[in-house]
Amino acid sequence: MSSQQIDKKHDLFVKKSTEKNLDRLTPREIVAELDKYIVGQKKAKRAVAVALRNRIRRLKLESDIREDIAPKNILMIGPTGVGKTEIARRLAKLAGSPFIKVEATKYTEVGYVGRDVESMIRDLMAAGIQMVKQEMQESVTVEAEKRAEEALLDLLLPGTGKKRKEPKPQPRPVVRPMGTFSIPDTNGGAGPSLMGAAIQVGIPSLFRNTQDDTGTAPEEAEDQETKDAVPEDQAQEGTASGKDASTREKFRTMLREGKLEDKIVEITVTQNPQFPTFEMMGGGGFEDLESSLSGIAGFFGGGKKKKLLTVSRAREILKAEESEKLIDRDRVSDEARQRVEETGIVFIDEIDKIAVKGERGGGGPDVSREGVQRDILPIVEGATVNTKWGPVNTDHILFVAAGAFNVSKPSDLIPELQGRFPLRVELDSLGKEDFLRILTEPKNALTKQYTDLLATEQVCINFTPDAIERLAVLAAEVNSRLENIGARRLHTIMEALLEELSFEAPDIAPTKIAITETYVNEKLNDLVMDHDLGRYIL
């Protein structure tokens, strides 16, 4: 591909990005959006906001400068449950970027049984394909619905969807007269004799373009004869076609009004319409091999299957199939690849678990840890990974690594990998005030979640301020005494608090219950005071 074509595709990509209003994502706006879901951690939020803004700035540069600007990868250091994963996930959703979360402990060094590190890029590409495909399917929703409706009508009324064709007349021999003979009148003026009439009988002609003495082609004569012979049949067919069209429109109205949703129809479902691509040379692992083998099974047999479904379910399947037909797969893969290469985000969690403690090469069960780091190194630095959608370059993919580093420390990583994460952010542990804000401020606060869940059973609960404060105190106390699991401690405490109420909700509904400090102490004090019991439950 020439440089002009690359620049043209990039300009189109920048135009689409501008249409998504990415320019409005200033660092301050990004932090404000993250504050809606994540409490505290200002340093981490500022770091990811600057990293995202730099990617937007880079897209506007000239090609010769743009290629030299690499993303500033981030290493987040902090205990579990303080918001590391949530920050990266919300950031990707905010920017509309392909995002994948992986765990470093799931990968093994080349030569060991397990997944290789290149599979994270294949997973990222799959996420990008799904994202672009969904966007394109939404753009053709109206047309797909129209086609699905026509297909449903064809199933409900077989034979009415196609126009009736006139039956093609069967070819038959064309008789060409042999000529006229002058035969003397032997009947005394009564006309030619029987013998004379017989002589005028012709023979079949094998040439269709032969004309008679009058200049009229036999085909034209035959067509005229057909038109003169069957006017009544055509009238009957026209009447039947009109009835079919009227019936079809009646069914269309009933279909749109939802009167046929429970009617059963038989549809043919297409499975695995394309031949799968092997990725054996790329080290795809057993997952890719399994998917490829299942694809071959669908290609050679079982590609189409008939099912009896309701109209409502058949509409969904037909709409999905029509949407699939309306989008261009090559365009999907091209746009997804460009989006992954320019704006993709990979979040590598538990990276501290592959750090080698003490002297390097300790052997034993940790023998492949340093090997995994060496395999991750070229991916983070910039490499080309082969996928079934084409090669993907990782030069400008943003990598965000995270780990608690409570046993190991960042310096235990190999120096080359440390250098690939120039930005390091330490996240703070959560205390009572943080827990208090987590229970009340975010859009998806736990108190709001449990209130909405029980409201479905007509049980209305109301958390009083003193009860919320008591929950925050208990969470901080348990974290300080047991393992510090951050905000996840609130999940265990809330479940223990509302377990009995959730169990009895269908039997006591409708009712209103106030969650007060007394209620919290009654349900949780025994668990908090009993250290042995609290260790297992909280």
Side-chain angles (χ1 to χ4, degrees):
M1 185 180 293
S2 65
S3 59
Q4 293 181 349
Q5 291 176 325
I6 295 176
D7 291 340
K8 186 176 180 181
K9 289 183 65 177
H10 179 267
D11 293 340
L12 181 61
F13 179 76
V14 173
K15 181 180 178 181
K16 291 182 178 179
S17 301
T18 305
E19 292 174 353
K20 294 180 180 179
N21 295 324
L22 289 183
D23 285 341
R24 68 177 176 82
L25 296 178
T26 63
R28 195 178 304 278
E29 289 292 330
I30 295 171
V31 172
E33 289 294 325
L34 294 176
D35 284 339
K36 295 179 180 179
Y37 300 95
I38 303 147
V39 171
Q41 314 303 350
K42 293 295 183 182
K43 294 179 182 179
K45 291 176 182 176
R46 289 172 66 92
V48 298
V50 172
L52 179 58
R53 187 63 183 181
N54 282 337
R55 307 189 84 182
I56 299 174
R57 293 165 180 161
R58 175 186 165 275
L59 292 175
K60 301 179 180 180
L61 298 177
E62 297 296 331
S63 59
D64 54 344
I65 303 176
R66 184 175 65 243
E67 294 302 320
D68 295 332
I69 298 179
K72 303 303 183 288
N73 299 321
I74 303 171
L75 177 62
M76 294 185 181
I77 306 169
T80 182
V82 296
K84 300 187 295 293
T85 305
E86 192 66 16
I87 287 175
R89 180 180 288 113
R90 293 292 176 182
L91 183 72
K93 188 175 182 180
L94 187 62
S97 303
F99 174 81
I100 187 71
K101 175 186 178 294
V102 299
E103 294 183 5
T105 54
K106 294 290 183 68
Y107 301 101
T108 60
E109 183 182 357
V110 173
Y112 288 83
V113 176
R115 303 200 70 185
D116 66 320
V117 295
E118 289 188 352
S119 63
M120 69 173 69
I121 304 302
R122 290 192 286 269
D123 293 340
L124 181 65
M125 186 62 187
I129 289 286
Q130 184 63 28
M131 177 183 293
V132 174
K133 183 184 292 186
Q134 185 175 359
E135 292 178 1
M136 289 189 176
Q137 286 178 345
E138 290 176 357
S139 64
V140 296
T141 299
V142 177
E143 181 64 24
E145 289 177 349
K146 290 181 180 178
R147 294 191 178 191
E149 183 181 78
E150 295 298 330
L152 278 176
L153 290 174
D154 291 340
L155 294 173
L156 293 168
L157 298 169
T160 62
K162 299 180 181 180
K163 295 182 179 179
R164 290 180 174 272
K165 295 183 179 180
E166 295 292 336
K168 186 176 180 180
Q170 295 294 330
R172 55 186 180 182
V174 178
V175 177
R176 178 187 176 188
M178 295 178 61
T180 305
F181 297 87
S182 298
I183 300 176
D185 185 3
T186 59
N187 290 336
S193 64
L194 180 61
M195 180 178 181
I199 293 177
Q200 295 187 27
V201 175
I203 62 175
S205 174
L206 301 178
F207 301 98
R208 306 291 295 175
N209 58 348
T210 307
Q211 295 183 350
D212 58 9
D213 296 341
T214 61
T216 303
E219 290 86 345
E220 296 179 5
E222 182 180 0
D223 292 342
Q224 184 65 35
E225 180 183 358
T226 303
K227 292 179 181 178
D228 296 339
V230 290
E232 296 181 359
D233 294 343
Q234 288 184 349
Q236 291 178 359
E237 290 183 0
T239 304
S241 177
K243 290 181 180 179
D244 289 343
S246 176
T247 304
R248 189 177 180 87
E249 291 304 317
K250 289 180 180 179
F251 270 74
R252 188 190 306 275
T253 302
M254 296 171 64
L255 195 61
R256 292 177 178 178
E257 293 176 353
K259 296 180 179 179
L260 304 175
E261 296 298 293
D262 297 330
K263 187 175 180 60
I264 302 297
V265 294
E266 184 182 47
I267 67 172
T268 302
V269 181
T270 304
Q271 298 175 341
N272 298 321
Q274 59 183 4
F275 195 82
T277 303
F278 278 103
E279 290 185 294
M280 292 298 293
M281 297 303 294
F286 290 105
E287 294 87 351
D288 297 326
L289 177 60
E290 182 181 358
S291 63
S292 298
L293 293 176
S294 63
I296 290 180
F299 182 81
F300 286 106
K304 292 186 177 181
K305 184 178 181 180
K306 291 185 177 181
K307 290 184 177 181
L308 291 175
L309 301 171
T310 61
V311 169
S312 59
R313 177 58 182 153
R315 182 188 290 106
E316 297 176 5
I317 296 177
L318 292 172
K319 182 180 175 182
E321 288 186 352
E322 295 299 333
S323 299
E324 189 75 20
K325 295 176 184 177
L326 288 170
I327 62 176
D328 185 359
R329 292 184 180 179
D330 294 335
R331 182 186 167 197
V332 169
S333 60
D334 290 342
E335 186 168 340
R337 188 185 308 112
Q338 187 172 19
R339 189 176 299 189
V340 165
E341 292 179 345
E342 298 288 347
T343 65
I345 299 176
V346 177
F347 183 79
I348 307 176
D349 201 5
E350 308 292 349
I351 199 169
D352 59 316
K353 303 300 187 296
I354 62 171
V356 180
K357 296 176 291 185
E359 297 183 1
R360 302 192 183 279
D366 303 335
V367 67
S368 69
R369 286 185 172 184
E370 189 171 335
V372 174
Q373 295 183 56
R374 288 195 301 266
D375 290 345
I376 291 178
L377 183 61
I379 302 296
V380 177
E381 183 180 13
T384 300
V385 178
N386 291 322
T387 71
K388 58 184 176 182
W389 299 282
V392 176
N393 189 280
T394 66
D395 287 341
H396 301 288
I397 293 176
L398 178 64
F399 291 87
V400 181
F405 290 100
N406 53 354
V407 177
S408 60
K409 49 188 181 295
S411 58
D412 290 330
L413 297 170
I414 60 176
E416 296 85 356
L417 189 59
Q418 294 181 46
R420 297 299 180 267
F421 291 90
L423 298 182
R424 298 186 181 181
V425 182
E426 187 172 354
L427 284 79
D428 303 322
S429 298
L430 302 177
K432 171 198 166 185
E433 296 301 324
D434 297 315
F435 289 138
L436 190 60
R437 294 178 58 192
I438 290 173
L439 287 171
T440 55
E441 292 183 7
K443 283 187 175 182
N444 56 348
L446 281 178
T447 52
K448 299 176 183 177
Q449 292 181 23
Y450 281 96
T451 301
D452 294 340
L453 282 173
L454 290 175
T456 61
E457 302 276 4
Q458 295 184 344
V459 175
C460 180
I461 61 174
N462 180 33
F463 290 88
T464 61
D466 56 346
I468 295 176
E469 185 172 359
R470 180 58 180 164
L471 289 172
V473 170
L474 291 176
E477 181 182 344
V478 175
N479 268 352
S480 63
R481 191 175 70 246
L482 304 177
E483 293 292 335
N484 184 5
I485 61 174
R488 293 188 176 93
R489 184 69 68 186
L490 291 174
H491 290 270
T492 60
I493 287 180
M494 291 291 288
E495 280 295 326
L497 174 69
L498 300 175
E499 179 183 8
E500 183 179 353
L501 184 58
S502 298
F503 183 83
E504 297 179 352
D507 302 324
I508 63 176
T511 185
K512 293 182 179 181
I513 297 176
I515 307 298
T516 62
E517 183 179 2
T518 304
Y519 187 94
V520 173
N521 291 332
E522 178 184 345
K523 299 294 182 182
L524 299 179
N525 262 6
D526 292 341
L527 295 178
V528 174
M529 297 303 296
D530 190 340
H531 291 187
D532 294 333
L533 186 59
R535 185 180 301 275
Y536 292 103
I537 297 180
L538 298 179

